[in-house]
Structure formats: C-alpha cells, structure tokens
Amino acid sequence: MLVLRLLRLAGFLFLLGSIAGANAVRAQAIDNDRALIEASAKGDLARVEKLLSAGAGTRARDARGRTALLAATHGNHVGVARRLIAAGADVNAKDDIEDSTFLYAGAEGRVEILRMTLAAGADLRSTNRYGGTALIPAWWKNCCAATYPGEPVI
C-alpha cells in the first residue's frame, strides 16, 4: 500500500515537473518573440539573427499588433526586413490600425522594403484604414522605382 502511494506521488511529481518544464519553454518562446520585435524595431540585425536561430516566431505581435517585420519597417531597417522576409514573415499581416508592411512601406516611401514586399507576394488590393493602397502614396512621394516582377507598378 505504501509503495503504491509512493509510486502515485512520484508520478504526480513527474507530471508537475513536465508541466512546469513545458510552461518554462512556452515562456522562453514568448520572451524570444517579444525580443525579436524589439530588436527589429531597433534595427539590431545580429540580435534578430540570434533570436530567429533560437526559434523566435515572425508572426508574434506587440501591444499595438505589430509584427517584427512591421516594426523593422517603421524604422526603415532594410537588412532586418530582408532577413525577416527570408524567415517567412508575412508582408500582409496588419496591425491594430490596419497597416501592413506593404502598406506602411508604400505610404512612407520606403522603396527598398516596398520592393521586397512586392517580391514576397504583397496583396496589391490591400487597403489601409483610410481605404487607400500602398501604391498611391508611394507614387505621390515620388517613389516610382518600385517594380513587380519586371513591370512598373507605380
């Protein structure tokens, strides 16, 4: 009887340890995702590389709904944006105010990032909170260098 109780207790403790371990892994992943967004916003490519290697996710979002790619675009950190797109970041993911990397890059005249979003499958029909597309403000800001598979789009 005592042996049975000890075995049950050991099993229960093992289960608790497994749950705690899984929670610690999840907490580390969340920390890595947050750190990726912060490093992207700062343009810290070395840290972005390290965090991606550690398994940080490109789909995580900050309190404003921004992905790491959108945070990098806000700072015009081209190298970081290139690396995140190569890691599979979604160029069409929108934040809380309906901006995507594609829309924001066009609106702010960030031509290099705009080109990358086009090459990565940006949704040309996507609109921002005002109903505008990325290409109208990009043209307005005289950013006519952006092309989509060999064809001028603006």
Side-chain angles (χ1 to χ4, degrees), residues 1-84:
M1 188 78 154
L2 180 61
V3 172
L4 186 58
R5 284 185 181 171
L6 288 174
L7 286 174
R8 284 184 186 159
L9 179 60
F12 178 72
L13 292 174
F14 177 78
L15 181 63
L16 282 179
S18 297
I19 291 170
N23 286 339
V25 168
R26 254 182 269 139
Q28 183 61 51
I30 291 168
D31 288 346
N32 284 347
D33 291 347
R34 285 185 192 139
L36 179 64
I37 295 168
E38 291 170 12
S40 298
K42 293 176 183 174
D44 187 347
L45 182 57
R47 181 113 171 98
V48 167
E49 290 281 1
K50 183 179 177 183
L51 289 162
L52 287 171
S53 295
T58 60
R59 297 190 185 274
R61 296 175 181 265
D62 67 10
R64 296 186 296 182
R66 297 181 315 162
T67 61
L69 179 56
L70 188 51
T73 302
H74 278 228
N76 200 24
H77 302 301
V78 176
V80 171
R82 182 177 292 112
R83 179 62 184 97
L84 291 167

